[in-house]
Amino acid sequence: MAHVPYQTTVNDAETGKSYTYDANMTIATADDGLAFYISQLSTLESKIYEAKYPSIRYAEFVPVDMSQPEWIDSVNYISYDAVTMGKFIGTAADDLPQSEINASISNIPVFYGGNSYGYSLDELRKSQQMRIPLDVTKGRMSYRGFQEHAQRVAYFGDSDRGITGLFNNANVALDNSTVNWATATGAEIVEDMNSLLVEVWVNSAETHVPNTFLMPNTKYAQISSQRMDSGTDTTVLEFFKKNNLYTSLTNQPLDVQSVQQLNTASAGGDGRMMAYEKNADNLVMHMPIMWRALAPQPKNLRVNVPAEYKFGGVEFRYPGSAAYRDDL
């Protein structure tokens, strides 16, 4: 039988129109064609999905000073310790106690850093066609690179340059926990955390009241779900926030935060907690130059964009305002 490519259907009762179709086309062939058509319509989603990265949080925990001149290589500050006393004397006495001041100058180095990004002219043309703004995206990623560098130094310093960070300052008091959190009761955990606050307060002769408590996120997750007692809905975290040294002395809420980097911050790679009085007098990170992209620089068939920045480690002007505690 000869192949009839098209046959005409009867008139449609509703529209009065007639339709033709290929009588030899199978359902599978129709599905394949439809799939190909849809694939052409959905070759590229309009939204570009980027990889997810951990949050940059160092500025939440460390006061960052950007007020210094850009040209400096270090920041100096003067500290002093006064020696004074009084005593009972006679009306004609000339042996009055003398008050003295012992002053010292501290030097905080800052270091010049930078990164860059670039694109070819052909790459830029392709990115425009594909709706991927590589010029903007690369700039944003370069800024992210600066932020990650700054956070790494803010937390742990840079051993090659002899600077320390928030979590590893050698002048900050360090002790070890005596509580095994894996088997501890809620009351024991609260005591372990609150005693770290008390340690800062007592060892500083009550001149520093720690208002910030940082801990590994694994421990934070534990106390956010563990109940104080079997018959209550109050979690260890809720109880600690209401019943701690800082809140009892000031009637202000204690800032309790989880920090992923504290999971392995101890010298042995275990967890570390930290309590400190956060303010710009006690500790600071100097950043004379925030990340700044310079003018694009054409070179052959590429355009390069250099960027610069300058910052140092975390300086504890008063190390007694903080304390570390490592896991058992």
Side-chain angles (χ1 to χ4, degrees):
M1 179 183 295
H3 171 60
V4 181
Y6 294 97
Q7 290 188 0
T8 303
T9 64
V10 296
N11 291 337
D12 189 286
E14 295 183 1
T15 65
K17 296 180 180 180
S18 61
Y19 301 92
T20 59
Y21 69 99
D22 185 350
N24 297 305
M25 184 176 67
T26 64
I27 294 178
T29 303
D31 289 344
D32 290 343
L34 182 61
F36 174 78
Y37 179 68
I38 293 176
S39 71
Q40 297 305 296
L41 295 179
S42 59
T43 54
L44 183 66
E45 290 191 48
S46 59
K47 180 178 180 179
I48 305 302
Y49 292 91
E50 296 180 358
K52 299 298 183 181
Y53 299 98
S55 298
I56 300 295
R57 305 177 61 199
Y58 69 94
E60 298 177 30
F61 310 134
V62 180
V64 178
D65 182 6
M66 301 181 183
S67 65
Q68 303 300 328
E70 295 183 356
W71 52 267
I72 64 171
D73 293 322
S74 63
V75 179
N76 297 328
Y77 68 91
I78 299 176
S79 58
Y80 65 88
D81 184 19
V83 179
T84 184
M85 65 172 294
K87 70 175 185 178
F88 294 117
I89 59 174
T91 57
D94 60 359
D95 58 340
L96 301 178
Q98 290 284 317
S99 297
E100 298 292 344
I101 292 178
N102 298 320
S104 61
I105 298 179
S106 298
N107 179 277
I108 309 173
V110 292
F111 302 94
Y112 193 54
N115 57 20
S116 66
Y117 65 96
Y119 47 85
S120 68
L121 299 181
D122 189 55
E123 184 181 19
L124 179 57
R125 283 190 291 265
K126 288 183 171 62
S127 70
Q128 292 172 328
Q129 179 63 30
M130 298 177 66
R131 304 194 302 276
I132 304 176
L134 291 179
D135 52 334
V136 176
T137 302
K138 287 185 177 181
R140 190 164 61 249
M141 291 300 100
S142 293
Y143 177 72
R144 169 76 191 199
F146 149 74
Q147 288 282 52
E148 290 186 351
H149 184 196
Q151 178 159 284
R152 187 167 60 251
V153 173
Y155 286 167
F156 298 105
D158 188 313
S159 59
D160 293 337
R161 288 163 176 75
I163 56 177
T164 55
L166 178 64
F167 300 147
N168 65 344
N169 190 289
N171 296 319
V172 173
L174 168 65
D175 66 13
N176 294 305
S177 176
T178 59
V179 176
N180 183 355
W181 282 40
T183 57
T185 64
E188 291 172 334
I189 293 175
V190 169
E191 170 61 22
D192 192 31
M193 292 188 292
N194 196 54
S195 63
L196 187 58
L197 302 174
V198 173
E199 180 179 324
V200 176
W201 184 56
V202 172
N203 290 347
S204 67
E206 300 183 5
T207 59
H208 297 293
V209 182
N211 55 15
T212 305
F213 193 95
L214 305 181
M215 61 194 309
N217 58 14
T218 53
K219 286 191 171 183
Y220 189 92
Q222 177 182 342
I223 65 174
S224 66
S225 60
Q226 183 175 342
R227 300 294 186 263
M228 280 297 297
D229 298 298
S230 58
T232 179
D233 289 334
T234 302
T235 65
V236 176
L237 177 59
E238 291 171 336
F239 186 89
F240 177 60
K241 284 185 173 183
K242 294 179 180 178
N243 300 273
N244 62 79
L245 175 71
Y246 178 74
T247 301
S248 66
L249 291 175
T250 66
N251 290 322
Q252 299 296 319
L254 176 68
D255 186 15
V256 184
Q257 299 283 346
S258 65
V259 184
Q260 177 186 358
Q261 288 79 0
L262 283 173
N263 290 344
T264 56
S266 74
D270 296 320
R272 169 170 289 181
M273 297 188 299
M274 179 182 186
Y276 66 108
E277 184 182 41
K278 182 179 66 177
N279 61 51
D281 290 335
N282 292 336
L283 71 162
V284 66
M285 179 180 185
H286 289 288
M287 187 176 291
I289 303 178
M290 185 70 168
W291 184 91
R292 180 171 57 206
L294 305 180
Q297 301 175 3
K299 183 177 181 181
N300 297 329
L301 298 178
R302 287 186 58 83
V303 176
N304 295 321
V305 183
E308 63 175 352
Y309 53 84
K310 183 182 287 188
F311 59 78
V314 174
E315 174 72 12
F316 276 90
R317 296 192 183 100
Y318 296 99
S321 65
Y324 303 131
R325 177 164 294 171
D326 288 351
D327 286 353
L328 180 65

